[in-house]
Amino acid sequence: MAIYHFSRNGVSPAAGSSAVKASAYISGMTVFRELTGVKCSYRRAERVVSHDVELPEAAPVEYRDPETLWNAAEAAQRGNGCYAHRENMALPRELAEKDGEFEKLMRDYAERVVKATGHAVEWGIHDDGDGNYHAHELESDLALGEHGFERPADRRSVKCYLCRKAGAPEIWVDAADWKAWAKPEGYEKVFNFKDGVRRTMSEARADGLGKGDRKSKNPVASIVRPDWKDARKAGREELVERRKLWADCVNAALERNGFSERVSHLSNAERGLDEEPTRHLGYRAHSMERDAMRRAERDGAEYIPVTRIGRENEEIRARNAEAAMHAIEENLRELCRHAADKAENIYEYREMLEGWRVTVGERGGDLLIGDGDDPSFEPRPLSDMCPELAGDGLENRFIRNVEADIERKGRQALAERAAARAEAARIEGIKQSYLASMASAFAEYRRDARAAKGTPLGEFPKLKLPKVPKEVRDDQEVRQAYLGYRYKADDLRLGLASGVPKKKGGGHGCGGAPAQGQEQRRVVEQSRSMQGRSQQQNR
């Protein structure tokens, strides 16, 4: 059945990543990175099934070249800002048998992204040879216009501090304005304290607290958009919209090809799958539980539900949490096994898992596997999750994968050699056919020339050879035969036409005698040689 997978990450110098390197991986091409003067390329470029670049209508034509596009994107960015965003997505297996449908799906998605954002998009479809079709997409962070990448005139996000002063309500202050007016007017930054209360330092000193009682040295801050909408929340909402856009494109492709399967960008929890609902507490029970939580917080004790429904709900939450952890473990186990079936060494294995948001650590010679999206999941040893990969199991998988890759490349090399032999045979056939056609044309010309004997030189027919096929233009044998027929035709014309200038010291070339043109050249060379010997004797 169709599965949904979509992940999105920033490509920035702060993360040590590069848009040019990402493009080289996606396209399978060797790309020169101007910032470092290094050529970027990756092995196994043969896994790139299809690749293209989608640009806004007003973008310069030269930006269709990935090397030009992403070097310009890196040059246009400032500081540690993102060059681009990279997306990885699973392609529905149902479309694998439909010729060109993966490309249609990716073009549909890329066109929608470009139209909605004005950004440049490069995409590539990969197949590692096991039928695991997936796609990568690279989207520029800046809009691309007629004159290249366009930096926004205003800041796209603003850092603000939560501030207070006596007799005034709390306000959020732009970090750029903090020293300009907020601090001179008596506002103070608000901090989180270990007891869960937010205070300014003046309020903390009044309560007998100091800097050591703060939860963090950083004040309460927020990143907002120019419209004062929380930037993190807005970013999450945009990511949800992008995930939904991909799901819509996949479902449109499935429907277009007559499949009933559909995918969803929502999580199982959001769709209510495999999660037991809790019971409604009611007003009185909710009030009793709230008071119990407050008392536990005040006394520093553990909260224990005091009502029957509260205890039942706590048990349901525990079961749901256990089921969620079990589901996460099953998913991680599947990913670990899938990576083991593809990787050829431990470094590639770890890189593959980390690309799937799986954390990989090490303890006591064993790998610790965790979930990068859920820190609450306690990392588990790989040997416990997948006993078949314990000991030499993982290494044996790597050896098997290398052998399979060598065998696959051997089959590919044999196929390439067979194709090369077939192409050489085809070229040889073209060559022999052309040589035969030239011989036939010359034989016909020779009959025509003898029939036209005595015709004035200016009216005497000339040899017309068939056009040389482009496949054999550089063949030495073809060249020699072509010139040889030309020379023979010229000799026939000079020997059979009338009105040919007479040679010096000889008659007309005929039968086995030299042709007139060749005899004339010989007379000139002999004359020059005799002249040179005479000059030497005079000296």
Side-chain angles (χ1 to χ4, degrees):
M1 62 177 294
I3 61 172
Y4 181 90
H5 172 75
F6 181 98
S7 63
R8 181 179 172 92
N9 303 96
V11 178
S12 69
S17 51
S18 158
V20 176
K21 288 183 178 180
S23 173
Y25 180 84
I26 290 173
S27 65
M29 300 165 55
T30 299
V31 185
F32 179 78
R33 190 184 186 204
E34 295 175 358
L35 280 179
T36 57
V38 173
K39 287 184 178 180
C40 306
S41 62
Y42 291 85
R43 66 185 183 91
R44 297 173 66 188
E46 69 276 4
R47 61 185 167 180
V48 181
V49 177
S50 184
H51 163 260
D52 202 0
V53 174
E54 188 72 28
L55 302 177
E57 290 184 2
V61 178
E62 58 267 23
Y63 279 62
R64 292 201 64 82
D65 175 34
E67 184 175 292
T68 303
L69 174 66
W70 298 115
N71 274 303
E74 292 191 353
Q77 197 54 271
R78 299 289 183 271
N80 284 328
C82 278
Y83 300 136
H85 294 274
R86 181 174 176 175
E87 297 174 350
N88 304 319
M89 51 275 282
L91 297 172
R93 294 182 179 180
E94 288 79 358
L95 301 181
E97 301 300 325
K98 302 291 184 178
D99 188 32
E101 281 301 319
F102 283 156
E103 288 80 0
K104 289 181 183 178
L105 171 58
M106 291 308 301
R107 290 187 194 281
D108 179 31
Y109 176 72
E111 287 172 1
R112 294 196 196 190
V113 171
V114 170
K115 185 176 180 180
T117 63
H119 298 169
V121 169
E122 180 182 13
W123 57 267
I125 298 173
H126 289 191
D127 176 23
D128 292 326
D130 56 358
N132 178 31
Y133 290 95
H134 58 281
H136 301 275
E137 186 254 14
L138 193 63
E139 176 191 350
S140 65
D141 184 66
L142 299 176
L144 183 59
E146 183 179 359
H147 302 292
F149 286 100
E150 302 170 346
R151 295 189 58 79
D154 301 324
R155 291 183 295 176
R156 289 186 288 182
S157 60
V158 179
K159 185 176 183 179
C160 298
Y161 296 120
L162 182 62
C163 299
R164 292 180 193 160
K165 78 172 182 177
E170 286 184 344
I171 61 171
W172 289 95
V173 177
D174 187 336
D177 297 332
W178 163 247
K179 291 184 179 180
W181 65 268
K183 187 175 181 180
E185 290 189 13
Y187 280 96
E188 293 184 75
K189 296 177 182 177
V190 176
F191 294 84
N192 285 314
F193 281 77
K194 295 178 181 178
D195 60 2
V197 179
R198 287 180 171 180
R199 303 180 178 90
T200 64
M201 288 310 300
S202 297
E203 295 169 343
R205 285 190 290 271
D207 293 341
L209 302 174
K211 293 183 178 180
D213 298 303
R214 294 188 309 199
K215 196 172 183 180
S216 169
K217 66 178 182 179
N218 297 320
V220 178
S222 178
I223 308 296
V224 298
R225 298 284 176 87
D227 58 359
W228 290 95
K229 186 176 182 180
D230 185 272
R232 294 187 179 90
K233 184 178 179 181
R236 287 193 293 269
E237 291 174 354
E238 290 172 359
L239 177 58
V240 171
E241 287 300 315
R242 183 58 64 85
R243 288 171 58 84
K244 182 178 182 300
L245 175 61
W246 173 246
D248 291 343
C249 291
V250 171
N251 288 332
L254 291 171
E255 182 178 2
R256 183 171 63 245
N257 287 275
F259 293 103
S260 61
E261 289 83 356
R262 296 293 183 268
V263 299
S264 174
H265 65 289
L266 300 174
S267 66
N268 287 343
E270 290 170 320
R271 288 183 290 165
L273 301 177
D274 297 330
E275 186 170 345
E276 184 180 355
T278 57
R279 296 182 58 189
H280 180 61
L281 277 174
Y283 174 76
R284 291 185 180 85
H286 178 73
S287 177
M288 294 172 65
E289 297 296 344
R290 182 183 58 198
D291 292 342
M293 283 190 284
R294 287 177 177 173
R295 286 194 300 271
E297 183 179 358
R298 182 192 63 200
D299 299 337
E302 181 183 359
Y303 161 68
I304 299 176
V306 294
T307 65
R308 178 179 58 82
I309 298 178
R311 288 191 293 271
E312 289 179 358
N313 284 343
E314 195 68 16
E315 292 173 359
I316 291 172
R317 292 189 190 96
R319 287 197 297 270
N320 286 340
E322 184 179 356
M325 292 299 106
H326 180 70
I328 291 174
E329 184 175 355
E330 284 298 319
N331 182 54
L332 292 176
R333 184 178 289 113
E334 182 181 353
L335 292 175
C336 289
R337 289 170 176 163
H338 188 53
D341 290 334
K342 299 175 63 168
E344 297 180 1
N345 53 62
I346 188 63
Y347 305 106
E348 189 174 336
Y349 184 73
R350 295 185 65 152
E351 181 181 1
M352 195 174 296
L353 288 176
E354 289 168 356
W356 295 335
R357 300 287 296 161
V358 178
T359 62
V360 184
E362 191 171 352
R363 184 177 64 190
D366 199 356
L367 296 180
L368 285 180
I369 305 300
D371 188 348
D373 294 323
D374 192 346
S376 64
F377 180 83
E378 186 70 23
R380 314 282 171 84
L382 179 63
S383 57
D384 292 347
M385 296 178 63
C386 304
E388 70 275 17
L389 301 181
D392 295 333
L394 193 58
E395 189 66 29
N396 292 335
R397 292 286 187 96
F398 295 155
I399 295 173
R400 186 186 68 186
N401 295 340
V402 171
E403 292 173 346
D405 187 51
I406 292 173
E407 183 179 352
R408 180 182 59 81
K409 289 181 177 177
R411 290 195 301 268
Q412 181 180 352
L414 289 174
E416 290 175 353
R417 283 198 290 270
R421 287 194 295 268
E423 179 65 11
R426 186 181 74 87
I427 299 298
E428 182 65 22
I430 293 174
K431 171 183 169 181
Q432 297 302 327
S433 176
Y434 181 67
L435 290 173
S437 65
M438 281 198 299
S440 177
F442 179 74
E444 184 177 351
Y445 174 74
R446 186 165 51 192
R447 289 193 298 269
D448 294 342
R450 288 172 178 170
K453 183 177 180 180
T455 303
L457 182 61
E459 301 174 7
F460 202 88
K462 295 182 179 180
L463 173 64
K464 292 182 180 179
L465 292 174
K467 185 178 179 181
V468 183
K470 62 181 180 180
E471 291 89 348
V472 295
R473 285 175 184 168
D474 297 329
D475 188 89
Q476 190 66 23
E477 185 179 353
V478 170
R479 285 185 174 183
Q480 291 177 352
Y482 186 91
L483 294 175
Y485 287 128
R486 287 289 184 193
Y487 290 149
K488 291 178 182 178
D490 287 343
D491 289 343
L492 280 173
R493 288 178 63 241
L494 293 174
L496 299 176
S498 62
V500 179
K502 298 298 182 179
K503 65 180 181 179
K504 294 181 180 180
H508 202 284
C510 60
Q516 182 174 336
Q518 295 175 341
E519 184 63 26
Q520 288 175 344
R521 286 194 293 271
R522 188 178 298 111
V523 169
V524 171
E525 292 173 359
Q526 290 176 352
S527 175
R528 288 177 179 172
S529 177
M530 292 175 61
Q531 203 171 21
R533 287 198 297 268
S534 176
Q535 290 177 355
Q536 289 179 355
Q537 291 174 358
N538 292 335
R539 290 175 187 171

